[in-house]
Amino acid sequence: MTLSVLIYLGATVFAVVCVLRLREWRSTGGGAGDGRRIIAPRHLARLATSALLAAAFGMVLITVLAAVLVESYQGERRSGGAFSGLQTLAMMVGVFVIVVPIANWLGLRVLGVRPAGLAAFGSWVLLAMALVFAQEHIPGGEIQPAWFYGFVALVPYAIATAAVVCVPPQAE
């Protein structure tokens, strides 16, 4: 199985879980069928605020991590050698597989997103999709400055958080 297939499979699982949560909430009376609005203005404000805070958190987190990785990569390239870049590649995989999910869960939990685990998983797989897509469309596939990767993280974090927060907390 290729990495892209795993990333898309993870994104599909996240989307299915979010849709099932929303259907369950709607079937228990949390919808327009009982005369209430689907999304009350207060809940809409919470959803927008959570999405914006999560996007800012994701941008800062990924910019900081990317700065460390980009600097490490450039340092290895300057020093040369037969295996230049491999240490940074191993560090990048470790950061993305271990540090990002844990930092996502902790950060989104602090921001008040519930369930934080689902939002962290969603932001993680959507970030992977966005990074793979962005890197494929860069001419020559060159490494970009850290802020570029931070800006790529804005949309995945906002979408994942909005998808999780759209079900009101009292429904859980």
Side-chain angles (χ1 to χ4, degrees):
M1 232 184 235
T2 66
L3 180 61
S4 294
V5 171
L6 289 174
I7 292 169
Y8 293 125
L9 182 63
T12 303
V13 167
F14 172 70
V16 167
V17 169
C18 286
V19 167
L20 290 175
R21 287 179 72 237
L22 189 58
R23 282 187 61 202
E24 180 183 336
W25 172 66
R26 295 282 309 252
S27 70
T28 59
D34 57 1
R36 299 180 311 174
R37 292 183 180 178
I38 291 177
I39 297 180
R42 199 166 83 195
H43 180 65
L44 186 59
R46 177 180 175 268
L47 189 139
T49 303
S50 294
L52 288 173
L53 288 173
F57 164 75
M59 181 181 175
V60 169
L61 173 69
I62 300 305
T63 300
V64 168
L65 292 175
V68 171
L69 292 172
V70 166
E71 183 56 38
S72 174
Y73 176 77
Q74 289 173 346
E76 278 189 57
R77 298 290 289 181
R78 282 190 297 269
S79 67
F83 298 108
S84 66
L86 286 182
Q87 180 181 0
T88 302
L89 178 64
M91 192 166 66
M92 178 195 68
V93 169
V95 163
F96 196 76
V97 171
I98 297 168
V99 176
V100 171
I102 293 170
N104 281 351
W105 179 77
L106 288 172
L108 293 172
R109 188 155 178 85
V110 167
L111 292 175
V113 176
R114 300 291 188 268
L118 181 60
F121 175 72
S123 62
W124 185 57
V125 295
L126 293 177
L127 175 65
M129 283 179 57
L131 289 174
V132 167
F133 179 79
Q135 197 64 36
E136 286 176 354
H137 288 84
I138 295 171
E142 293 292 320
I143 299 297
Q144 300 299 308
W147 59 263
F148 172 81
Y149 299 106
F151 277 116
V152 169
L154 282 171
V155 173
Y157 277 81
I159 290 173
T161 302
V164 170
V165 175
C166 72
V167 175
Q170 65 268 19
E172 307 211 54

